[in-house]
Amino acid sequence: MTSIVGFTELLGEGAAGPVTAQQRRLLAVIADNAARLMAMVDSLEPAPHDPHDPHGRRRPIDDYRAVRLPLPGAEPQEEAARETRW
């Protein structure tokens, strides 16, 4: 994610040449989506420690349950979708 955000900023600053208005809008969509994805990743909780493990390792998580949990910011983004016109 850091690379995507960094290169998006570089492109937006004109590091690869002049940026058109349409390209600037698309770069803004990339930056917004990257920020939203980073927030979702940051909101994930680590797996709980297994109280029966003498080494204090984390217990496996139920993958199905993990992907079915609602994530903050994961709801559809109508405004961003309207701006994304190729």
Side-chain angles (χ1 to χ4, degrees):
M1 283 281 73
T2 303
S3 296
I4 292 170
V5 171
F7 279 105
T8 300
E9 290 174 357
L10 282 173
L11 289 170
E13 293 169 358
V19 181
T20 67
Q22 181 181 9
Q23 290 169 333
R24 193 166 304 284
R25 284 190 302 273
L26 294 174
L27 289 169
V29 170
I30 294 170
D32 290 345
N33 288 331
R36 189 168 40 254
L37 183 55
M38 287 193 320
M40 285 190 280
V41 169
D42 289 345
S43 74
L44 295 175
E45 295 182 19
H49 289 283
D50 186 343
H52 304 293
D53 187 323
H55 303 289
R57 290 179 284 222
R58 297 184 185 275
R59 71 179 124 158
I61 61 169
D62 178 354
D63 293 337
Y64 179 77
R65 184 179 166 274
V67 298
R68 301 297 298 170
L69 293 174
L71 296 173
E75 52 279 337
Q77 302 294 318
E78 290 182 8
E79 185 175 337
R82 282 193 299 262
E83 291 178 9
T84 310
R85 293 188 190 112
W86 306 89

